[in-house]
Amino acid sequence: MVARLTDAERAALAVSLPRWTLVPAAAGQADAIRRRFAFADFSAAFGFMARVALLAEQQGHHPDWSNVWNRVEITLSTHDAGGLTAQDVRLAQAIDRLDQA
Amino acid sequence: MVARLTDAERAALAVSLPRWTLVPAAAGQADAIRRRFAFADFSAAFGFMARVALLAEQQGHHPDWSNVWNRVEITLSTHDAGGLTAQDVRLAQAIDRLDQA
Amino acid sequence: MVARLTDAERAALAVSLPRWTLVPAAAGQADAIRRRFAFADFSAAFGFMARVALLAEQQGHHPDWSNVWNRVEITLSTHDAGGLTAQDVRLAQAIDRLDQA
Amino acid sequence: MVARLTDAERAALAVSLPRWTLVPAAAGQADAIRRRFAFADFSAAFGFMARVALLAEQQGHHPDWSNVWNRVEITLSTHDAGGLTAQDVRLAQAIDRLDQA
């Protein structure tokens, strides 16, 4: 099983993933990271979603995500581990690279 | 502008769209219809999402939707009209036809 | 039925669609326009393809296209009309706008 | 580097991949396997393509493929190896499983 991030690793996310927000654990919910994206229109948003889907399947790790027209919100957490792990960091970094491409 | 459904039209949705749930208007939120889908895995869920995206762009009417691995939840409402309209019904019917294909 | 482009309209494509190549009619084949695209990798190519699919379904006019890793080749012709029509020009222009986005 | 299939392995494809056609090597071209698919419409074809794209990226092995409306043709060969390898067989098998799902 993948280990959850330590407190030090969690604190380091502010530097390594500055565009993601740490969502603390709440009652019945694991902690997570979240990023919101806005595109020109639905087409651009969906083209991005197709690429995120490819990343997710490639990494065997899938987002909790939603879309409304030009907006996409992605939340990452590792359900099996009950919170944030290195798998979430890796997927977030790959998603960030798409956005810069 | 598209007219909102009348009360009679809204009541008829239980028959015409039996797999969709009517989500009543809440404070600051328009009424909507919602359906949850479960697939074998992420791949099947995303193949379905790609087809819903095609329908949305074809109809010029887009869902508020989310996905977690094999699950997809679609909520339809017409933002410009502040609630349910015939555009939502038409998109829901087209989505239902995908599911039966 | 959609009318085929006149010779004058066909000649004007060199100006309106400079990145597309006119493929003359051959035995048993209608004339067409063709453009080749190269992307950074498969992910970028497929993100683009998803957007072209949305355009095609929106316009009710579909490409003859192929992909090998980072390359996409799109050929447009109107089968019902037996050659190039304004529908091909419209789809090509919309695809060109994606590429500039 | 991945080894090309032996003659015995190539002959066994008729049993393990009965719906694929062996395309022998021609001048300047490696041997390959090819399958044609027909769907109800473009939407069904593109939903399938999205799933094949996920498989390709997951396996790090990509098809040479084309689409015209409801038809998809997929050709598999391993460019680095100059012909058919176990990577092509694995991707073909995964694609066949989609079609049965």
Side-chain angles (χ1 to χ4, degrees):
Chain A
M1 197 167 95
V2 187
R4 295 181 57 187
L5 296 186
T6 63
D7 287 347
E9 287 166 336
R10 203 173 268 95
L13 297 178
V15 176
S16 59
L17 295 173
R19 294 188 278 187
W20 294 73
T21 303
L22 189 62
V23 184
Q29 287 233 285
D31 62 346
I33 49 175
R34 178 173 296 156
R35 186 175 166 195
R36 295 192 172 91
F37 302 80
F39 298 90
D41 53 22
F42 177 76
S43 164
F46 191 72
F48 170 76
M49 290 173 72
R51 300 187 68 182
V52 171
L54 293 176
L55 285 174
E57 199 74 344
Q58 192 176 39
Q59 300 192 2
H61 190 58
H62 298 84
D64 178 341
W65 56 345
S66 62
N67 160 248
V68 185
W69 197 55
N70 73 325
R71 292 174 185 281
V72 177
E73 179 177 300
I74 300 181
T75 304
L76 302 177
S77 188
T78 305
H79 300 287
D80 294 347
L84 280 170
T85 70
Q87 292 184 339
D88 302 304
V89 176
R90 185 170 65 136
L91 182 52
Q93 287 171 333
I95 291 171
D96 280 355
R97 281 193 294 271
L98 287 186
D99 190 47
Q100 292 162 354
Chain B
M1 198 169 95
V2 187
R4 295 182 56 188
L5 296 186
T6 64
D7 287 348
E9 287 167 336
R10 205 174 265 97
L13 296 177
V15 175
S16 60
L17 294 172
R19 292 189 279 188
W20 294 74
T21 303
L22 188 62
V23 184
Q29 287 233 283
D31 60 348
I33 49 176
R34 179 173 295 155
R35 185 173 167 196
R36 294 191 173 92
F37 302 80
F39 298 91
D41 53 23
F42 177 75
S43 163
F46 191 73
F48 170 76
M49 291 173 72
R51 300 187 67 183
V52 171
L54 293 176
L55 285 174
E57 200 74 343
Q58 194 176 35
Q59 300 193 3
H61 190 59
H62 299 84
D64 177 342
W65 56 344
S66 62
N67 161 248
V68 185
W69 198 54
N70 72 325
R71 293 175 186 280
V72 177
E73 179 177 299
I74 300 180
T75 304
L76 303 177
S77 189
T78 305
H79 300 286
D80 293 347
L84 281 170
T85 69
Q87 292 185 338
D88 302 305
V89 176
R90 185 170 68 137
L91 183 52
Q93 287 172 333
I95 291 171
D96 280 356
R97 280 192 294 273
L98 287 186
D99 189 48
Q100 291 162 357
Chain C
M1 199 167 93
V2 187
R4 297 181 57 187
L5 296 187
T6 63
D7 286 348
E9 287 166 337
R10 202 173 269 97
L13 297 177
V15 176
S16 60
L17 295 173
R19 292 188 280 187
W20 294 73
T21 303
L22 188 62
V23 184
Q29 288 233 284
D31 61 347
I33 49 175
R34 178 173 295 155
R35 186 174 165 196
R36 296 192 172 91
F37 302 79
F39 298 90
D41 54 22
F42 177 75
S43 164
F46 191 72
F48 170 76
M49 290 172 72
R51 301 187 68 184
V52 171
L54 293 176
L55 285 174
E57 200 73 344
Q58 192 176 37
Q59 299 193 3
H61 190 58
H62 298 84
D64 177 341
W65 55 345
S66 62
N67 160 248
V68 185
W69 198 55
N70 72 327
R71 292 174 187 280
V72 178
E73 178 178 299
I74 300 181
T75 304
L76 303 178
S77 188
T78 305
H79 299 288
D80 293 348
L84 281 170
T85 69
Q87 292 185 338
D88 302 305
V89 176
R90 184 170 67 136
L91 183 52
Q93 287 171 332
I95 290 170
D96 279 356
R97 280 192 294 274
L98 286 187
D99 189 47
Q100 291 161 355
Chain D
M1 198 168 92
V2 187
R4 296 181 56 187
L5 296 186
T6 64
D7 287 348
E9 287 167 337
R10 203 174 266 97
L13 297 178
V15 175
S16 60
L17 294 172
R19 293 189 279 188
W20 294 73
T21 303
L22 188 62
V23 184
Q29 287 233 284
D31 60 347
I33 49 176
R34 179 174 296 157
R35 185 175 168 195
R36 296 190 172 93
F37 302 80
F39 298 90
D41 53 23
F42 177 76
S43 163
F46 191 73
F48 170 76
M49 290 172 73
R51 301 186 67 184
V52 171
L54 293 176
L55 285 174
E57 200 74 343
Q58 193 176 36
Q59 300 193 2
H61 189 59
H62 298 85
D64 178 341
W65 56 344
S66 62
N67 161 247
V68 186
W69 197 54
N70 72 325
R71 292 175 186 281
V72 177
E73 179 177 300
I74 301 180
T75 304
L76 303 177
S77 188
T78 305
H79 300 285
D80 293 348
L84 281 170
T85 70
Q87 292 184 338
D88 302 303
V89 175
R90 185 171 66 137
L91 183 52
Q93 287 172 332
I95 291 171
D96 280 355
R97 281 192 294 273
L98 288 187
D99 188 48
Q100 292 162 356

